[in-house]
Amino acid sequence: MSYDALREECLQANLDLPDTGLVDLTFGNVSVADPEARVFAIKPSGVDYKALKASDMVILDFEGKVIEGGLRPSSDTPTHRCLYLHFEGIRSVVHTHSRSAVAFAQSGVDLPCLGTTHCDYFHGAVPVTRDMTPDEIGGEYEWETGMVIVERFKALDPTEVPAVLVRNHGPFAWGPSGKKAVENALALEIVADMAIKTMSIRPNAPPAPQHLLNKHFFRKHGPGAYYGQK
Amino acid sequence: MSYDALREECLQANLDLPDTGLVDLTFGNVSVADPEARVFAIKPSGVDYKALKASDMVILDFEGKVIEGGLRPSSDTPTHRCLYLHFEGIRSVVHTHSRSAVAFAQSGVDLPCLGTTHCDYFHGAVPVTRDMTPDEIGGEYEWETGMVIVERFKALDPTEVPAVLVRNHGPFAWGPSGKKAVENALALEIVADMAIKTMSIRPNAPPAPQHLLNKHFFRKHGPGAYYGQK
Amino acid sequence: MSYDALREECLQANLDLPDTGLVDLTFGNVSVADPEARVFAIKPSGVDYKALKASDMVILDFEGKVIEGGLRPSSDTPTHRCLYLHFEGIRSVVHTHSRSAVAFAQSGVDLPCLGTTHCDYFHGAVPVTRDMTPDEIGGEYEWETGMVIVERFKALDPTEVPAVLVRNHGPFAWGPSGKKAVENALALEIVADMAIKTMSIRPNAPPAPQHLLNKHFFRKHGPGAYYGQK
Amino acid sequence: MSYDALREECLQANLDLPDTGLVDLTFGNVSVADPEARVFAIKPSGVDYKALKASDMVILDFEGKVIEGGLRPSSDTPTHRCLYLHFEGIRSVVHTHSRSAVAFAQSGVDLPCLGTTHCDYFHGAVPVTRDMTPDEIGGEYEWETGMVIVERFKALDPTEVPAVLVRNHGPFAWGPSGKKAVENALALEIVADMAIKTMSIRPNAPPAPQHLLNKHFFRKHGPGAYYGQK
């Protein structure tokens, strides 16, 4: 995959963020990787979405070295890199501060799977990471953020639950393409909003039954999927 | 009614969904039937609303056989078909994941009739269906979804309560035309939103009195209606 | 004031409703009166805002007789007429089903004055009317709706509290012009939304102190006003 | 700095208010100061944003005397002036009635720092001022409003917490430019909205740990900042 193609896919995915209402101000970034070449493109830090061009995207290798690009990469770059190194099969990472997902991250409560909208995208609750230690925060903070995500997924499959809520911070989502990763981030915000509304009607609403969860997730994902066009 | 007319009415009603804010991503579909000819048109599965054309609509008969159309019909097609077979007098079915209606479906709480906005559209609470059994989910899931709706309406008139909330899933609404069915789906979302707000002010707000409900419903529906133009 | 001028002011005020987000579907109407000539113009019943023309406005006298216009007037016409007959100094009445105001009407809880946004428009809580009796609902329902409003204002000055919440129904607002009446209806919805949010943070948040209420209301209203341009 | 430049920066910042959704109706105003020349420009009172021109901005000196401008300055002018006199290093003040921030002001609850979105802008909770006394309200009300803000910041650094919530009223925010002050006002509304959602999931959600707060605030502010472009 050429760097130009990476930059272009990365730009488009970043531009989708304000269009979907997922980001306020400049609170968000997308990266897109070429895992075989072990490189990824990422949004530059603190640049307004309205002014973003493909040539602004920064190309780094999986060791964190800038390969091409004149701007500083997003301050969250080490988190993205950490996920590419640990989660096989993902090609794009999205970070936003979308409001309802942030609310779960701030409350420290896993986002429960309450219905089929959730089941269609996430095979179970979307987990919150543990508190980071003062050492982790004082050290390589953004890398360590990635490491607490990896730790939280020890018993989870990142292709079945393609998102996480970083404690007191906000969501990261991922997927097989920039477009899919942004779609997962948007689905996460939608189901978080639905969950808040559900809990306002019935605070301890039970999660959707396991067989309903399996049915909906595997109706859309994996070899038995029959949703969408062939 | 020609298939072209069915497809066109079906397309327009589907396009109304994103315009009214009722659907996120591709979470929704409308079908429109010709009950005398026992056929209906429905949205294809997983296609973006922006790209939808009349010729994409799939025509099926009431036995579920595709009559015309090169795309896969919506995965929810058997639910629509089940409702056409059991609910006399309906010509269009709408399914959405609109957020406030979903919240009631996820909480398992019937949407209470709290005021005249609700009374104008639904003659009483909008019911939630029972949990589906593992067998129902593992079998002809989408058809069985229709059957639990039909079961829930044993003592209800679907022309007086033109919507339902499928447990842990979301709303289905219907009506005498594509336009009216979408209007019912929108009214449902609006009154669900109002109910959530009402319950946040006063958790056990009592329903509107029965005589107010009757007054408003029959002011707009049936032989004594005097709302709107002749 | 000519009937043409009345119709034009009435049309503009009605068109402001969807523009401000105050109405969904066709849930709202505005009338504008010429109190000296004892006539008023009002929106026709159930007509889509997008299709509304000045010539569609119906002119009635204060006894309820249609003077000019080929369409049915709004079904709420007798409520408007009742307010013109009982509330001196008002020239326009607005009825909406705006969602947060409806939530208070449905909960039966007076909208408390929690801060200066409220004080700027309403000199105290916006009251909810009592339940209507089966006889009132079964009789001249829309006229009786006006009468329970008038009853609720026995000890209130309608120019100091230019809005009311009809129980299990929704808001009516009024003012010295179509534009001002719609502004009051919008301010009502805004402060209702703020109140719901406030009560979610602190369920029994006390009302704003009386001297703050007086200060803000009379900073904008009456002989000592100093807000805005001369 | 020329008066024309002040007026232009002031106009642009005022126009940003409705564009960001921070203000309803005419509930908001921005001033921009030239602290060395001890003058500031401010929005005229009660003028519609749509009609606002640079030449409408009123120029006053720090003693409150109008230097240039044919319109009445905002009724909140003495509050702005008070902040310029007491808070060193600020060049612009914004006042809005943005809804979620108002909800905290109305509830009398300090806006807690629950996550990194908040930490990025405010180094700790955003405080609510005390109730004003009848004498303060009956006297130079708008100036006294400034004085209770100054009192509340006795132990706080206004450059580390660039916003306040005036009790039963609403937010004031400030910054080194019109653009930055509006950004702070917008960030305040966003984190207030996130906090309301968080508290609805978990009413007593604890604040973000102090080391996380320090990390995020100083990642963006001060000599060690590494966010954004150089």
Side-chain angles (χ1 to χ4, degrees):
Chain A
M1 206 178 173
S2 75
Y3 292 175
D4 276 350
L6 266 187
R7 274 188 287 252
E8 190 58 37
E9 185 178 349
C10 186
L11 172 70
Q12 287 310 322
N14 274 290
L15 294 181
D16 283 348
L17 292 184
D19 287 355
T20 54
L22 281 177
V23 301
D24 298 298
L25 295 165
T26 60
F27 306 159
N29 44 69
V30 187
S31 66
V32 178
D34 178 343
E36 270 143 62
R38 296 177 62 83
V39 294
F40 62 105
I42 194 165
K43 179 178 176 284
S45 182
V47 174
D48 200 313
Y49 293 95
K50 275 175 251 169
L52 222 50
K53 301 184 305 289
S55 59
D56 294 336
M57 301 300 117
V58 186
I59 305 275
L60 299 102
D61 65 21
F62 274 22
E63 280 66 50
K65 209 181 101 210
V66 173
I67 305 287
E68 281 189 24
L71 295 169
R72 277 186 189 178
S74 164
S75 54
D76 297 311
T77 298
T79 316
H80 292 242
R81 186 167 76 83
C82 184
L83 297 184
Y84 289 126
L85 287 173
H86 290 86
F87 287 175
E88 215 175 325
I90 71 173
R91 262 197 68 239
S92 177
V93 172
V94 179
H95 173 48
T96 80
H97 286 214
S98 70
R99 299 185 190 188
S100 299
V102 162
F104 277 91
Q106 292 190 158
S107 70
V109 173
D110 289 355
L111 171 60
C113 175
L114 296 172
T116 60
T117 322
H118 187 120
C119 307
D120 282 345
Y121 282 87
F122 308 102
H123 192 222
V126 177
V128 178
T129 59
R130 65 162 168 81
D131 275 335
M132 293 174 74
T133 66
D135 275 3
E136 286 166 344
I137 292 171
E140 295 297 320
Y141 169 62
E142 290 85 0
W143 172 264
E144 298 293 350
T145 300
M147 289 307 290
V148 295
I149 296 172
V150 170
E151 181 188 318
R152 187 67 183 80
F153 271 72
K154 215 182 295 184
L156 292 171
D157 179 343
T159 64
E160 294 208 347
V161 181
V164 72
L165 301 160
V166 176
R167 183 80 173 97
N168 291 126
H169 189 147
F172 282 81
W174 46 83
S177 66
K179 195 176 156 68
K180 267 293 175 187
V182 171
E183 184 178 332
N184 288 338
L186 177 54
L188 177 67
E189 178 62 11
I190 292 166
V191 297
D193 180 40
M194 288 173 172
I196 290 174
K197 288 181 163 66
T198 303
M199 292 159 77
S200 87
I201 298 168
R202 185 176 171 189
N204 292 305
Q210 186 68 32
H211 40 269
L212 187 65
L213 169 54
N214 291 343
K215 173 69 188 179
H216 267 264
F217 189 77
F218 295 116
R219 182 168 96 151
K220 283 187 92 167
H221 304 271
Y226 58 93
Y227 181 90
Q229 302 302 321
K230 270 176 244 187
Chain B
M1 206 178 172
S2 76
Y3 292 174
D4 276 348
L6 267 188
R7 273 188 288 253
E8 189 57 38
E9 185 178 349
C10 187
L11 173 69
Q12 287 309 323
N14 274 289
L15 294 180
D16 283 347
L17 293 184
D19 287 355
T20 53
L22 281 178
V23 301
D24 298 299
L25 295 165
T26 59
F27 306 158
N29 45 68
V30 187
S31 65
V32 178
D34 178 344
E36 270 143 63
R38 296 177 63 81
V39 294
F40 63 105
I42 194 164
K43 179 177 175 285
S45 182
V47 174
D48 201 312
Y49 293 96
K50 275 176 251 170
L52 223 50
K53 302 184 304 290
S55 58
D56 294 336
M57 302 298 117
V58 186
I59 305 276
L60 298 104
D61 65 24
F62 274 21
E63 280 66 51
K65 208 180 102 212
V66 173
I67 305 288
E68 281 190 25
L71 296 170
R72 276 187 190 177
S74 164
S75 54
D76 297 311
T77 298
T79 316
H80 292 243
R81 185 166 76 84
C82 184
L83 297 184
Y84 289 127
L85 288 173
H86 289 86
F87 287 174
E88 215 175 326
I90 72 173
R91 260 197 69 241
S92 177
V93 172
V94 178
H95 173 47
T96 81
H97 286 214
S98 69
R99 301 186 190 187
S100 298
V102 162
F104 277 93
Q106 292 191 157
S107 70
V109 173
D110 289 354
L111 171 61
C113 174
L114 296 172
T116 60
T117 323
H118 187 119
C119 307
D120 281 345
Y121 282 86
F122 308 101
H123 192 223
V126 177
V128 178
T129 58
R130 66 162 168 80
D131 275 335
M132 292 173 75
T133 65
D135 275 2
E136 285 165 345
I137 293 172
E140 295 298 319
Y141 169 62
E142 290 84 0
W143 172 264
E144 298 293 348
T145 299
M147 288 308 290
V148 295
I149 297 173
V150 170
E151 181 188 318
R152 188 67 183 81
F153 271 72
K154 214 182 295 186
L156 291 171
D157 178 343
T159 63
E160 294 208 347
V161 181
V164 71
L165 301 161
V166 176
R167 183 80 173 96
N168 291 127
H169 190 148
F172 282 80
W174 46 83
S177 67
K179 196 176 155 68
K180 267 294 175 187
V182 172
E183 184 178 332
N184 287 340
L186 178 54
L188 177 67
E189 178 63 10
I190 292 165
V191 298
D193 181 41
M194 288 173 171
I196 290 174
K197 288 181 163 66
T198 303
M199 292 159 78
S200 87
I201 298 168
R202 185 176 172 188
N204 293 306
Q210 186 68 32
H211 39 270
L212 187 66
L213 169 54
N214 291 344
K215 173 70 189 180
H216 266 264
F217 189 78
F218 295 115
R219 182 167 95 152
K220 283 187 93 167
H221 303 270
Y226 59 94
Y227 181 91
Q229 302 302 320
K230 268 176 248 186
Chain C
M1 206 177 171
S2 75
Y3 291 174
D4 275 349
L6 266 188
R7 274 188 286 252
E8 189 56 37
E9 185 178 350
C10 187
L11 172 69
Q12 287 308 322
N14 274 290
L15 294 180
D16 283 348
L17 292 184
D19 287 356
T20 54
L22 281 177
V23 300
D24 297 298
L25 295 166
T26 59
F27 306 158
N29 45 66
V30 187
S31 65
V32 178
D34 179 344
E36 270 143 63
R38 297 176 62 82
V39 294
F40 62 106
I42 194 164
K43 179 177 175 287
S45 181
V47 174
D48 200 313
Y49 292 97
K50 275 175 251 169
L52 223 50
K53 303 184 302 290
S55 58
D56 294 334
M57 303 297 117
V58 186
I59 305 277
L60 298 103
D61 65 23
F62 274 21
E63 280 66 51
K65 208 181 101 212
V66 173
I67 305 288
E68 281 190 24
L71 296 170
R72 276 186 190 178
S74 165
S75 54
D76 298 310
T77 298
T79 316
H80 292 244
R81 186 166 77 82
C82 184
L83 298 183
Y84 288 127
L85 287 174
H86 289 87
F87 287 174
E88 216 176 325
I90 72 172
R91 259 197 69 240
S92 177
V93 172
V94 178
H95 173 48
T96 80
H97 286 215
S98 69
R99 301 186 191 187
S100 298
V102 161
F104 277 92
Q106 292 191 158
S107 70
V109 173
D110 289 355
L111 171 61
C113 175
L114 296 172
T116 60
T117 322
H118 187 120
C119 307
D120 281 345
Y121 282 87
F122 307 102
H123 192 223
V126 176
V128 179
T129 59
R130 64 162 168 81
D131 275 335
M132 293 174 74
T133 65
D135 274 3
E136 285 165 346
I137 293 172
E140 294 297 318
Y141 170 62
E142 290 85 1
W143 171 264
E144 298 293 347
T145 299
M147 288 309 290
V148 295
I149 297 173
V150 170
E151 180 188 316
R152 188 67 183 80
F153 271 71
K154 214 182 293 187
L156 291 171
D157 179 342
T159 64
E160 294 207 347
V161 180
V164 72
L165 301 161
V166 176
R167 183 79 173 97
N168 290 125
H169 190 149
F172 283 80
W174 47 83
S177 66
K179 197 177 154 68
K180 267 293 177 187
V182 171
E183 185 179 333
N184 287 339
L186 178 54
L188 177 67
E189 178 63 11
I190 292 166
V191 299
D193 181 41
M194 289 173 171
I196 290 174
K197 289 182 162 65
T198 303
M199 292 160 78
S200 87
I201 298 168
R202 185 177 172 187
N204 293 306
Q210 185 68 33
H211 39 269
L212 187 65
L213 169 55
N214 291 344
K215 174 69 189 179
H216 267 265
F217 189 78
F218 296 115
R219 181 169 97 151
K220 283 187 93 166
H221 303 270
Y226 59 94
Y227 180 91
Q229 303 301 321
K230 266 176 252 189
Chain D
M1 205 179 172
S2 76
Y3 291 175
D4 275 349
L6 267 187
R7 275 189 286 252
E8 189 58 36
E9 185 178 349
C10 187
L11 172 69
Q12 287 308 322
N14 274 291
L15 294 180
D16 284 347
L17 293 184
D19 286 356
T20 54
L22 281 177
V23 301
D24 297 298
L25 295 166
T26 60
F27 306 158
N29 46 67
V30 187
S31 66
V32 178
D34 179 344
E36 269 143 63
R38 297 176 62 82
V39 295
F40 63 105
I42 193 165
K43 180 178 175 286
S45 182
V47 174
D48 200 312
Y49 292 96
K50 274 174 252 170
L52 223 50
K53 301 183 305 290
S55 59
D56 294 336
M57 302 298 117
V58 186
I59 305 276
L60 299 102
D61 65 21
F62 274 21
E63 281 67 51
K65 208 180 102 209
V66 173
I67 304 287
E68 281 190 24
L71 296 169
R72 278 186 188 177
S74 164
S75 54
D76 298 310
T77 298
T79 316
H80 291 243
R81 186 167 77 82
C82 184
L83 297 184
Y84 289 126
L85 288 173
H86 290 87
F87 287 174
E88 216 176 325
I90 73 173
R91 261 196 70 239
S92 176
V93 172
V94 178
H95 173 47
T96 80
H97 286 215
S98 69
R99 301 187 190 186
S100 299
V102 161
F104 277 92
Q106 292 190 157
S107 69
V109 173
D110 289 355
L111 171 61
C113 175
L114 296 173
T116 60
T117 322
H118 187 120
C119 307
D120 281 346
Y121 281 87
F122 308 101
H123 192 222
V126 177
V128 179
T129 59
R130 65 163 168 80
D131 274 336
M132 293 175 73
T133 65
D135 274 4
E136 286 166 345
I137 292 172
E140 295 298 319
Y141 170 62
E142 290 84 1
W143 172 263
E144 298 293 349
T145 299
M147 289 307 290
V148 295
I149 297 173
V150 171
E151 180 187 318
R152 188 67 184 79
F153 271 72
K154 214 183 293 186
L156 291 170
D157 179 342
T159 64
E160 294 207 347
V161 181
V164 72
L165 300 161
V166 176
R167 182 79 173 98
N168 290 125
H169 189 149
F172 283 80
W174 47 83
S177 67
K179 196 176 155 67
K180 268 292 176 189
V182 171
E183 184 178 333
N184 288 339
L186 177 54
L188 176 67
E189 178 63 10
I190 292 166
V191 297
D193 181 40
M194 289 173 172
I196 290 174
K197 288 181 163 64
T198 304
M199 292 160 78
S200 86
I201 298 169
R202 185 177 171 186
N204 292 305
Q210 186 68 32
H211 39 270
L212 187 66
L213 169 55
N214 291 343
K215 174 68 189 180
H216 267 264
F217 189 78
F218 295 115
R219 183 169 95 150
K220 283 188 92 167
H221 304 270
Y226 59 94
Y227 181 91
Q229 303 301 321
K230 266 176 249 188

